[in-house]
Amino acid sequence: MLDSPVVKITRDEIRHVALLARLALDPAEEEAMTATLDAILTYMEKLAELDTSAVEPTAHILDLPTPWRDDVVTNAPDADRLLANAPARDGDFFRVPKIIE
Amino acid sequence: MSVEADLDAWTIAEAGRRLRARELSATELTRAALERIGARNAALNAFITVASDDALRAAAAADARLAAGTAAGPLDGIPVAVKDVIATACVRTTAASRILADFVPPYDATVTARLKAAGAIIVGKTNCDEFAMGSSNENSAYGSARNPWDLTRVPGGSSGGSAVAVAAGMALGSLGTDTGGSIRLPASYCGVVGMKPTYGAAAKYLRRRQQLGVHLEADHRLVGGAGAGTPIHGAHDAAPTRGGRRVCHSVAVSYARAVRAAVDTLGGLGARAGSASLPHTEYAVATYYVIATAEASSNLARYDGVRYGSRLAGDSLLDMYCRTRAAGFGPEVKRRIMLGTYALSAGYYDAYYLKAQKVRTLIRRDFARVFEQADVIVTPTAPTTAFRLGEKLADPLQMYLSDIFTISVNLAGLPGIVVPCGVDDAGLPIGLQIVGPPFGEEVVLRTARAYEAATEWHTRRPPRVGAAS
């Protein structure tokens, strides 16, 4: 949290976040990541200086309406083209490692 | 009877006029650009992929239109470069990442389709920071592009190759993206014009909030459609101050001097200059890197080794995801995914993401208040001129702070342009940033045009590098 003391993020938290992010980090990366993120999060603590209790968040910058378009098919089905970038395919399907034993 | 293409002197307007007058063909012009790329890319590394065959085919089609008098418009037959985060059908698009090393998009981004429809010739895909994450271009999996003014220095990022391509005459214009300064910073470092339109003003097929824009050689008048010689109404110098104290990281002396001189020049053209306060500027970098990393972490979840991109084998599906992403992403992308995942994770969302969104509101209000009294805001583009390769790589926070003058403009969604306005003691370019209110592109362009008409900085070209061409 922004108002917590010195250490912003621990090695264990880094491991947890890496799993959430689906990133395999080796021990050296874990160590470097802990130090760097700690420094960056400490810098981000600046934001806590500001009283924002009466401020609405900005989720999107423009108050533009979202225009509707006609619901028409614009892409012809072309499985070969779409599967051309697949790391592994099986017929007209993406092939993935077995999920259920 | 053809004239020889002069890639260093011609603007898009000049080249287009000569094409339509049939002084030379689009094929000759495109060939000249490709030869220049061939001669200089080994030294500059501005392009990840050169699309010679596609470009020459498109040029032949442009020549047919030009011969028939059915040219599509001012861009017909003009060689341009496109940042490699923008999808180009059938031309490899890597986003400067290992994970997309072999990715060939099955479709064009909307902006690519529009460029093609306008007859522009795409000569290749330009180098940038991986997934546009960086301020120096050094986070490219394909090596950094080099600054043509000094090969030991960065071109700026993330759209470094796009700025280098234009500065070195490898294309007459280029597309970049600018989410925190990624067009404007390289424009400043490389001595070219870089424009970021109002958020939403340019069509895109990109990740959220990533913004398209252009690098041009002193030619924005054409693309922006603003008229020349129209007097500007007034300009306010808003080098950020707070209670009379400079709060931002100090600006290099020669940089500040050049920007002040530019303000004087604008004053001489009829602008009424004053100073304005943007008190929340010092929070912009922290705000941006919370929001941008949160978005990046969610956006890059799609790179999982299933539908496209590279894959590493694993013991399980989870293991496959983790190994694929670990091998495919570079250090800065991993860092941002980690930061963003952390900022969005249970228990931290309010303290980081929601807090940053609220501070963003304060930053928007700062600008809105100034624009009640000013037509444009003029600032330095960066605290310094181009820094040395490797200088900031080990300290991500210092790298992030290079964006201090550009980043709040993105958080507020405003249009901004950078025009060359001087050089430092080492002869490196300095860029003047001109910011306008939402959809205020016209006043921004008019101001820039008036400034260019009164100065010579935009006519400087970097020394030739590489084999002669």
Side-chain angles (χ1 to χ4, degrees):
Chain A
M1 304 285 274
L2 289 177
D3 53 358
S4 67
V6 197
V7 174
K8 292 281 134 199
I9 192 162
T10 64
R11 184 93 173 240
D12 282 347
E13 283 178 296
I14 288 288
R15 283 198 195 101
H16 173 65
V17 173
L19 178 63
L20 291 178
R22 303 292 185 259
L23 280 173
L25 301 182
D26 62 36
E29 278 182 304
E30 273 179 17
E31 194 178 328
M33 194 69 84
T34 309
T36 316
L37 259 59
D38 198 67
I40 296 170
L41 291 169
T42 301
Y43 176 76
M44 286 170 171
E45 225 174 272
K46 278 177 81 67
L47 299 181
E49 294 169 8
L50 296 168
D51 177 5
T52 52
S53 51
V55 180
E56 286 295 310
T58 294
H60 200 279
I61 207 67
L62 293 175
D63 303 320
L64 289 180
T66 303
W68 292 91
R69 63 161 171 80
D70 293 334
D71 186 17
V72 291
V73 176
T74 54
N75 55 327
D78 185 348
D80 277 337
R81 208 169 167 197
L82 295 171
L83 282 158
N85 287 298
R89 68 181 281 189
D90 186 353
D92 279 353
F93 299 95
F94 296 100
R95 194 179 172 91
V96 294
K98 194 164 152 187
I99 298 168
I100 302 163
E101 293 301 326
Chain B
M1 187 58 211
S2 279
V3 299
E4 200 167 322
D6 189 344
L7 296 163
D8 292 312
W10 289 358
T11 61
I12 290 176
E14 171 82 11
R17 192 181 60 70
R18 290 175 183 274
L19 286 174
R20 287 185 295 279
R22 316 290 316 282
E23 290 177 23
L24 85 169
S25 67
T27 300
E28 287 165 327
L29 183 59
T30 301
R31 234 180 251 291
L34 292 169
E35 279 166 18
R36 179 67 72 88
I37 294 169
R40 299 196 184 177
N41 202 46
L44 295 171
N45 200 23
F47 286 83
I48 293 175
T49 303
V50 181
S52 307
D53 294 347
D54 292 270
L56 289 170
R57 239 189 328 271
D63 280 328
R65 287 190 298 273
L66 288 158
T70 57
L75 290 176
D76 209 338
I78 302 292
V80 299
V82 173
K83 186 177 183 180
D84 209 24
V85 296
I86 299 170
T88 44
C90 306
V91 174
R92 182 174 78 134
T93 299
T94 69
S97 180
R98 261 194 308 276
I99 210 161
L100 289 176
D102 302 313
F103 180 70
V104 179
Y107 51 75
D108 278 326
T110 302
V111 69
T112 307
R114 288 191 183 173
L115 264 187
K116 287 180 179 173
I121 313 298
I122 298 171
V123 291
K125 305 300 294 293
T126 49
N127 204 350
C128 54
D129 287 294
E130 183 177 7
F131 289 107
M133 296 181 191
S135 307
S136 68
N137 202 151
E138 292 167 292
N139 299 326
S140 168
Y142 305 90
S144 183
R146 303 298 177 108
N147 192 308
W149 296 91
D150 178 347
L151 297 178
T152 68
R153 292 179 188 269
V154 302
S158 66
S159 312
S162 294
V164 174
V166 173
M170 299 156 123
L172 292 179
S174 63
L175 281 186
T177 61
D178 186 323
T179 308
S182 282
I183 285 170
R184 289 163 290 153
L185 197 65
S188 166
Y189 288 0
C190 293
V192 297
V193 173
M195 168 109 191
K196 164 216 175 297
T198 305
Y199 180 82
K204 58 197 165 49
Y205 205 134
L206 297 164
R207 69 188 172 84
R208 208 175 144 233
R209 245 171 25 72
Q210 194 168 61
Q211 257 234 244
L212 287 163
V214 287
H215 279 124
L216 300 165
E217 238 171 46
D219 199 25
H220 49 274
R221 180 168 62 109
L222 179 80
V223 172
T230 318
I232 54 175
H233 301 306
H236 286 230
D237 169 22
T241 55
R242 191 190 195 199
R245 173 174 70 96
R246 188 187 285 156
V247 294
C248 291
H249 286 248
S250 58
V251 176
V253 175
S254 55
Y255 210 117
R257 198 190 303 131
V259 171
R260 282 188 203 294
V263 171
D264 290 342
T265 300
L266 289 170
L269 294 168
R272 199 162 38 79
S275 66
S277 175
L278 297 163
H280 296 97
T281 300
E282 65 174 299
Y283 301 97
V285 170
T287 302
Y288 173 85
Y289 280 95
V290 172
I291 294 173
T293 59
E295 290 180 356
S297 72
S298 106
N299 207 291
L300 295 176
R302 71 182 73 172
Y303 298 100
D304 56 6
V306 173
R307 288 150 299 170
Y308 45 78
S310 56
R311 172 193 291 186
L312 255 70
D315 300 336
S316 63
L317 189 66
L318 178 65
D319 194 41
M320 185 276 276
Y321 291 155
C322 294
R323 285 174 189 235
T324 294
R325 291 164 61 79
F329 293 138
E332 178 63 17
V333 171
K334 286 183 195 175
R335 197 176 290 135
R336 295 201 190 187
I337 289 173
M338 290 288 291
L339 261 174
T341 304
Y342 178 77
L344 289 175
S345 63
Y348 297 104
Y349 177 87
D350 284 4
Y352 289 102
Y353 192 67
L354 191 63
K355 180 79 185 184
Q357 286 191 313
K358 289 180 172 180
V359 177
R360 189 179 187 187
T361 303
L362 298 175
I363 291 167
R364 284 180 77 181
R365 285 184 193 161
D366 281 353
F367 279 103
R369 211 171 294 123
V370 174
F371 281 123
E372 283 170 12
Q373 294 160 22
D375 298 300
V376 294
I377 298 172
V378 172
T379 77
T381 308
T384 65
T385 51
F387 49 89
R388 290 193 186 281
L389 288 155
E391 189 176 324
K392 298 188 181 182
L393 261 188
D395 190 345
L397 202 48
Q398 281 309 310
M399 187 74 89
Y400 297 170
L401 288 167
S402 315
D403 302 338
I404 185 79
F405 292 109
T406 49
I407 218 160
S408 56
V409 177
N410 295 83
L411 289 167
L414 305 172
I417 197 167
V418 167
V419 290
C421 74
V423 292
D424 69 6
D425 300 337
L428 297 168
I430 294 171
L432 178 73
Q433 177 175 240
I434 304 165
V435 180
F439 297 103
E441 277 79 359
E442 194 182 328
V443 66
V444 167
L445 287 161
R446 238 191 293 136
T447 308
R449 184 65 192 164
Y451 178 75
E452 274 189 353
T455 55
E456 300 278 315
W457 299 111
H458 61 280
T459 62
R460 290 178 78 244
R461 294 291 176 268
R464 293 195 165 200
V465 294
S469 172

